[in-house]
Amino acid sequence: MEATQFDRLREGSIGLPQVLFQSITHMAPGAAIAFSILVSVQFAGVALPLAVLCALIACVLVANSIGQLAKQIPSAGGLYAYVSRALGPRIGFMVGWVYLIFEPLVAPLLFLIFAWATEDVVKNDIGWDIGWAWWVLLAAGIVFFLTYRDVRLSTNAGVALGIFEIAVFVALSAWMLLSHLGDLSLAPFDPTNNEVGTLTGTFKGMVFAILAFIGFEAAAPLGEEARHPRWTIPRAVVGSAFLIGLFYVFCSYAWVIGTGLGDFTKVTTAAANPWRDLGEVYWSGGWVLIFFAIINSAIANANAGVNAATRVIYAMGRIGVLPHAFARTHPVHKTPHVAIITQSVFAVVLALLFGWKWGPLTGFVVMATALTILVILVYITTCIACLVFYRRERPQEWNPWLHGVVPMLGAVAFIAPLWYQYRPLPDYPMRYANWFALIWIALGIVVTWWMATNRREALENAGRIFVDDREPPAERIEAPPAPAAGS
């Protein structure tokens, strides 16, 4: 089947706000600060804001590399397409292989967070014990409706949901800081205050802070549906990483100060939902806003995760790496509906399985650990791809700082947290995630070898992942015209 025969997405249908909030909501600011960064507390302790700040610096360095590649390769393939063009189809396929598991893991782990937070309130405050599994199904149904329909519906929903959750957490954080002006100090940025050692605490805490950042690259797969993607995608990727990173540092600092330096680790790790508790202490009945911000964040993140995952699945189906059925789009909504249905079923089954085995919260932690290890490897590879791409294919545009120093720093910044995730190994059941990540990489190497031997043409097409062999029209991919003088 020729590339031009594949169904098209709704090209040029969304602008910078929708693309920006695709990344922001994929990061799930509310759920991330409440649960992803919560896991860091057992390692970083009072120095939690330091671990978050280190993750911010590392992720902004990677965001720059992704943004620079997005300027040249506006594609639904996202990071898969970027690495394929820069480092060749085999390494690109490995990135696609990793992406095939880590991006689809986003929705089920957020379904578990939605279920955990909702069951806690409904059971303890209302008195209804209907079971967490039903809340997983409700979350999945909402996300399926948003993503199956027009991309404009799901991305506009992301803008509204994202603004609400950020506003609520910023308001509570500011309230806590204003209530403790006399207690403000730099102790939360002192590495000696880490719970398990100066370096170990920082880098192991950084792993789950990185988990909170995962998704800043989620705008990239919307490269074919965005207007002026060479202008909008880089700004969305870098802007989301930087702005939400500042949000995380601000909220984590307020969290430590608001809880109290002396009791922070003990109080926080003993709570089922620490931010809900903070809402009760500082806002009384206003804790309901925190609850809605968290479940809103989970839905928004799952919505963005399904958008990103299904666009890459669609792109891989289009070139024959996956079955061609995944390259079909809905005749009315122009969404990759076959990929969306498949992703939705996978997410529900996985969420129910992990929740049944370990409970919603522990199931989330196990799934999230595996996801973080895999995404770190993808980020390192993407940084290297940026350097190689500009040095080899765009020498006339080579900038030693943007395309050399920054990508190398980005790759190096992720080596330490990856090392400390395996040295020492975490306890079970979290350790299962470490082994799963290694097994998935090993399987990917085997499958890549098989593709290179038996499906060489499909593998080599990985670098040409546009709707067809031509780039999108110039008026769609270039930056928007500058405003007229005096306007």
Side-chain angles (χ1 to χ4, degrees), residues 9-347:
L9 299 168
R10 193 182 294 277
E11 297 179 4
S13 59
I14 52 179
L16 179 59
Q18 294 86 356
V19 176
L20 174 65
F21 274 87
Q22 162 70 8
S23 284
I24 287 176
T25 55
H26 195 305
M27 296 165 77
I33 195 70
F35 291 104
S36 299
I37 293 177
L38 169 62
V39 184
S40 296
V41 173
Q42 61 185 297
F43 307 112
V46 170
L48 178 67
L50 175 63
V52 175
L53 179 61
C54 290
L56 162 61
I57 294 169
C59 289
V60 168
L61 292 171
V62 174
N64 169 78
S65 296
I66 295 173
Q68 292 300 310
L69 288 167
K71 289 167 59 177
Q72 305 295 337
I73 313 170
S75 166
L79 306 189
Y80 170 43
Y82 304 164
V83 175
S84 295
R85 288 280 294 271
L87 303 179
R90 289 176 176 80
I91 299 178
F93 182 81
M94 276 297 299
V95 167
W97 175 262
V98 173
Y99 205 97
L100 272 178
I101 193 65
F102 91 66
E103 192 64 61
L105 283 177
V106 169
L109 68 86
L110 267 299
F111 293 164
L112 289 173
I113 287 301
F114 179 92
W116 171 263
T118 306
E119 184 191 28
D120 176 54
V121 169
V122 172
K123 182 178 179 179
N124 296 321
D125 293 271
I126 300 178
W128 297 349
D129 187 5
I130 64 176
W132 60 268
W134 292 106
W135 300 116
V136 166
L137 296 177
L138 175 62
I142 295 171
V143 171
F144 179 78
F145 173 77
L146 291 173
T147 54
Y148 190 83
R149 305 280 300 210
D150 195 322
V151 69
R152 293 170 293 189
L153 172 65
S154 60
T155 51
N156 283 330
V159 173
L161 295 174
I163 290 173
F164 171 73
E165 67 184 272
I166 291 170
V168 170
F169 275 88
V170 167
L172 178 56
S173 297
W175 192 289
M176 289 191 292
L177 290 178
L178 290 173
S179 300
H180 293 275
L181 287 176
D183 299 325
L184 302 185
S185 75
L186 293 178
F189 295 97
D190 184 348
T192 62
N193 286 325
N194 279 305
E195 194 69 23
V196 294
T198 301
L199 291 178
T200 303
T202 298
F203 291 123
K204 289 186 83 70
M206 187 179 168
V207 168
F208 289 95
I210 291 169
L211 171 63
F213 280 87
I214 290 175
F216 65 82
E217 77 287 350
L222 298 183
E224 291 174 21
E225 294 161 282
R227 293 187 292 273
H228 315 296
R230 290 183 176 171
W231 186 85
T232 55
I233 300 298
R235 283 161 176 76
V237 171
V238 178
S240 62
F242 180 70
L243 294 175
I244 299 304
L246 293 180
F247 165 82
Y248 288 153
V249 173
F250 177 71
C251 290
S252 61
Y253 181 76
W255 189 359
V256 174
I257 298 299
T259 305
L261 296 176
D263 298 326
F264 175 70
T265 303
K266 180 180 178 181
V267 170
T268 301
T269 55
N273 188 342
W275 277 87
R276 175 198 159 155
D277 295 347
L278 290 170
E280 290 180 339
V281 170
Y282 288 95
W283 282 356
S284 188
W287 67 265
V288 174
L289 290 176
I290 296 296
F291 164 68
F292 279 115
I294 291 172
I295 63 171
N296 156 93
S297 182
I299 292 295
N301 187 184
N303 171 67
V306 171
N307 275 338
T310 54
R311 268 57 182 183
V312 173
I313 293 170
Y314 160 85
M316 295 178 78
R318 190 171 60 198
I319 64 167
V321 171
L322 291 178
H324 291 307
F326 289 118
R328 296 176 185 166
T329 61
H330 193 280
V332 176
H333 307 310
K334 296 300 180 183
T335 54
H337 63 299
V338 176
I340 290 170
I341 292 170
T342 304
Q343 158 73 26
S344 299
V345 172
F346 169 82

Side-chain angles (χ1 to χ4, degrees), residues 482-487:
S487 64

